[in-house]
């Protein structure tokens, strides 16, 4: 037996538990906390009133009076995640309270110091992330009932009312729909290592169904999110200070650094789901897209990033299927790739509706006293990419992963 085969036989089976990924909730934080210890009440009082404080232009004054609190009383991972969620929500409101024409370019030390400390503890950047906005920002109304939109609420909100609530919760349901796919991916990796063609075929079929379920879950955006409100009111609060013409220098975190720091805003590209599927299915993106996607991994919880890297380091599914000559596996693999490309096409159509089509309409009117639509990021995603070109590229490169039987 050659050494490589020996390694395959002795490689430990891949498990989700090793990467703190839930069997029930996937990359979602299971049952996130909603309350911090009483010591942190000054943060919570502001975070719970964000839509009102931003709408009435009082948030900055409130933050400027906030005491400097110590992070040492945060015990355990879930409290740290809640603290990151609270502090990043306040940060985005503080920076963008008066819109992109008047962003705050200095974050006061009472906010900057604890935010950077808790971020370092978690291995995350000090800005609002997908892992805050979505993965740790949901609660069930009735814990005994299923995860569906009527039984869910976000923990914190910006202005944007029902449309923001819908945007967050539909994205929670997209992450939930991915759970069977993540589990199927683990089953498939282990089936390649064994090897077990029957188990691999079953896993690929489950993965395809999960990808199709993700697409269906994403479709609920149309029911719950108004494109005009998303573009004109909500989107600015996800915007970061890297590759954003409205804040070319970045944000100065007072007491942390003498120079401004640059971070990308919250983006769907920070979800670990498609990164894991791409690595497993052997999707190879263009250099520009791949560079951006790899940078977005720095915005994921470290254990999720490690899971994606583990998938990358496992034996190639593509090589395994081609060398097996098993036409059923080839077909099942290609059906997964086609489902993934269809999901990306659907996402592209949605971004066109909520960004490109909404932009000219938003320019024509202002929504009440709120900041107004961000024009600096008009055709760019909140992560800073030229979004339509990027999404077309990742969709087209996905299709290039289709396998063809040799001979």
């Amino acid at each position: 037996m050659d050494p490589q085969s020996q390694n395959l036989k002795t490689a430990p089976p891949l498990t989700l538990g090793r990467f703190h990924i839930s069997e029930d909730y996937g990359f979602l934080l299971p049952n996130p906390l909603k309350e911090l210890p009483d010591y942190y009440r000054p943060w919570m009082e502001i975070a719970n009133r964000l839509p009102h404080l931003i709408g009435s232009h009082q948030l900055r004054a409130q933050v400027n009076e906030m005491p400097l609190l110590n992070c040492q009383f945060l015990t355990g991972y879930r409290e740290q995640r809640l603290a990151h969620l609270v502090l990043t929500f306040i940060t985005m409101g503080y920076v963008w309270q008066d819109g992109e024409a008047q962003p705050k370019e200095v974050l006061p030390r009472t906010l900057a110091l604890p935010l950077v400390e808790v971020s370092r503890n978690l291995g995350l950047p000090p800005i609002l992330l997908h892992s805050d906005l979505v993965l740790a920002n949901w609660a069930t109304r009735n814990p005994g009932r299923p995860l569906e939109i009527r039984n869910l609420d976000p923990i914190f909100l910006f202005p944007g009312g029902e449309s923001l609530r819908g945007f967050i919760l539909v994205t929670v349901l997209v992450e939930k729909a991915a759970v069977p796919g993540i589990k199927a991916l683990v089953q498939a990796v282990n089936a390649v290592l064994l090897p077990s063609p029957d188990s691999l075929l079953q896993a690929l079929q489950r993965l395809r169904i999960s990808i199709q379920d993700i697409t269906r879950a994403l479709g609920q955006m149309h029911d719950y999110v108004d494109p005009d409100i998303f573009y004109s009111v909500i989107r600015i609060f996800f915007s970061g200070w890297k590759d954003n013409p409205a804040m070319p220098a970045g944000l100065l975190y007072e007491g942390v650094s003498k120079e401004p720091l640059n971070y990308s805003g919250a983006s769907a590209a920070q979800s670990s789901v498609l990164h894991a599927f791409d690595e497993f299915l052997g999707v190879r993106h263009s250099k520009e897209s791949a560079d951006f996607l790899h940078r977005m991994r720095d915005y994921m919880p470290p254990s999720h990033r490690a899971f994606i890297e583990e998938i990358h380091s496992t034996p190639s599914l593509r090589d395994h299927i081609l060398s097996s000559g098993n036409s059923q596996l080839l077909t099942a693999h290609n059906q997964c790739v086609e489902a993934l490309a269809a999901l990306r096409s659907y996402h592209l159509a949605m971004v066109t509706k909520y960004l490109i089509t909404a932009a000219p309409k938003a320019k024509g009117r202002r929504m009440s006293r709120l900041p107004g639509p961000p024009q600096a990021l008009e055709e760019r995603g909140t992560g800073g990419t030229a979004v339509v070109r990027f999404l077309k590229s990742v969709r087209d490169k996905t299709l290039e992963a289709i396998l063809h039987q040799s001979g």
Side-chain angles (χ1 to χ4, degrees), residues 46 58-67 90 94 104 106-111 254:
I46 291 174
Q58 296 172 4
L59 175 61
R60 287 176 181 167
Q62 292 273 325
V63 170
N64 291 337
E65 293 172 11
M66 207 168 76
I90 296 171
Y94 186 88
K104 268 289 185 193
V106 179
L107 199 65
R109 64 193 301 118
T110 52
L111 189 48
E254 193 177 68

Side-chain angles (χ1 to χ4, degrees), residues 22 27 35 46 91 94 111 122 125 153 163 188 241 272 310 321 340 351 371:
S22 165
F27 296 112
E35 293 294 337
I46 291 174
T91 294
Y94 186 88
L111 189 48
L122 288 167
D153 282 308
S163 284
W241 27 94
S272 302
E310 181 81 2
I321 290 175
L340 188 56
V351 166

Side-chain angles (χ1 to χ4, degrees), residues 285 340-342 344-345 348 390-400:
H285 294 294
L340 188 56
R344 285 184 154 136
S345 289
L348 177 60
F390 167 74
L391 291 174
K392 280 183 176 170
S393 170
V394 296
R395 188 266 319 273
D396 294 345
K397 287 291 184 182
T398 301
L399 283 168
E400 288 180 16

Side-chain angles (χ1 to χ4, degrees), residues 319-377:
D319 294 348
H320 177 80
I321 290 175
L322 288 174
S323 64
S324 75
N326 185 321
S327 61
Q328 279 187 300
L329 291 178
L330 185 96
T331 301
H333 170 277
N334 288 348
Q335 287 173 341
C336 289
V337 172
E338 286 160 3
L340 188 56
L343 168 57
R344 285 184 154 136
S345 289
Y346 192 73
H347 186 215
L348 177 60
M350 192 159 278
V351 166
T352 302
K353 171 181 172 177
Y354 282 90
L355 255 61
I356 310 306
T357 312
K361 290 166 73 176
K363 275 192 222 170
R365 69 190 211 291
R366 286 293 299 265
M367 307 282 287
S368 68
R369 295 172 296 166
L370 290 164
Q375 289 171 19
L377 287 177

Side-chain angles (χ1 to χ4, degrees), residues 21-255:
I21 300 166
S22 165
E23 292 277 341
D24 297 318
Y25 298 102
F27 296 112
L28 290 166
L29 185 66
N31 307 311
L33 295 180
K34 293 187 281 187
E35 293 294 337
L36 287 172
D38 195 56
Y39 172 78
Y40 298 103
R41 188 181 294 173
W43 296 351
M44 297 298 291
E45 286 178 347
I46 291 174
N48 284 321
R49 297 173 60 226
L50 274 180
H52 167 72
L53 291 172
I54 293 168
S56 59
H57 297 268
Q58 296 172 4
L59 175 61
R60 287 176 181 167
Q62 292 273 325
V63 170
N64 291 337
E65 293 172 11
M66 207 168 76
L68 177 58
L69 301 180
N70 195 313
C71 292
Q72 73 185 38
F73 303 111
L74 294 168
T75 56
Y77 182 73
R78 283 147 58 81
E79 281 190 6
Q80 302 254 10
R81 284 289 292 273
L82 178 56
H84 198 272
L85 171 64
V86 168
L87 294 169
T88 54
F89 255 73
I90 296 171
T91 294
M92 302 317 264
Y94 186 88
V95 170
W96 299 117
Q97 174 185 280
D98 295 332
E100 70 173 6
Q102 299 172 288
K104 268 289 185 193
E105 295 180 355
V106 179
L107 199 65
R109 64 193 301 118
T110 52
L111 189 48
L113 287 171
L115 172 56
V116 167
E117 185 179 348
V118 81
S119 298
R120 282 180 183 148
N121 291 343
L122 288 167
L124 295 172
I127 189 170
L128 181 75
L129 311 165
H130 176 80
S131 63
D132 302 303
L133 180 68
V134 176
L135 302 185
N137 190 30
W138 62 278
T140 49
R141 294 178 178 184
N142 181 338
R145 296 182 63 88
L147 249 63
E148 54 186 26
I149 209 152
R150 291 185 297 273
N151 190 36
L152 288 169
D153 282 308
I155 301 169
F156 299 109
L157 289 165
F158 297 113
E162 286 301 303
S163 284
L164 178 58
R165 179 181 181 276
F167 178 81
I168 293 169
L169 297 181
V170 169
T171 314
V172 167
L173 294 176
V174 166
E175 291 279 347
K176 182 69 169 68
V179 175
I182 298 161
K183 286 162 58 168
L185 192 154
V186 168
Q187 178 184 337
V189 166
N190 291 329
V192 170
L193 292 171
L194 276 170
S196 169
D198 291 347
S199 180
L200 179 55
L201 181 62
Q202 182 190 61
L204 289 170
Q205 290 165 342
R206 287 177 176 167
L207 177 58
R208 173 184 56 80
I209 292 166
S210 176
I211 295 170
Q212 291 167 335
D213 287 343
I214 291 168
T215 308
R216 271 192 287 277
L218 186 60
Q220 294 180 76
M221 285 288 178
H222 298 297
D223 302 325
Y224 293 101
V225 185
D226 181 308
D228 294 347
I229 293 174
F230 178 80
Y231 189 88
S232 300
V233 178
I234 296 168
R235 193 165 167 257
I236 194 166
F237 297 108
F238 305 162
S239 301
W241 27 94
K242 180 179 174 67
D243 302 324
N244 185 348
M247 288 184 73
L251 179 69
L252 186 70
Y253 290 71
E254 193 177 68

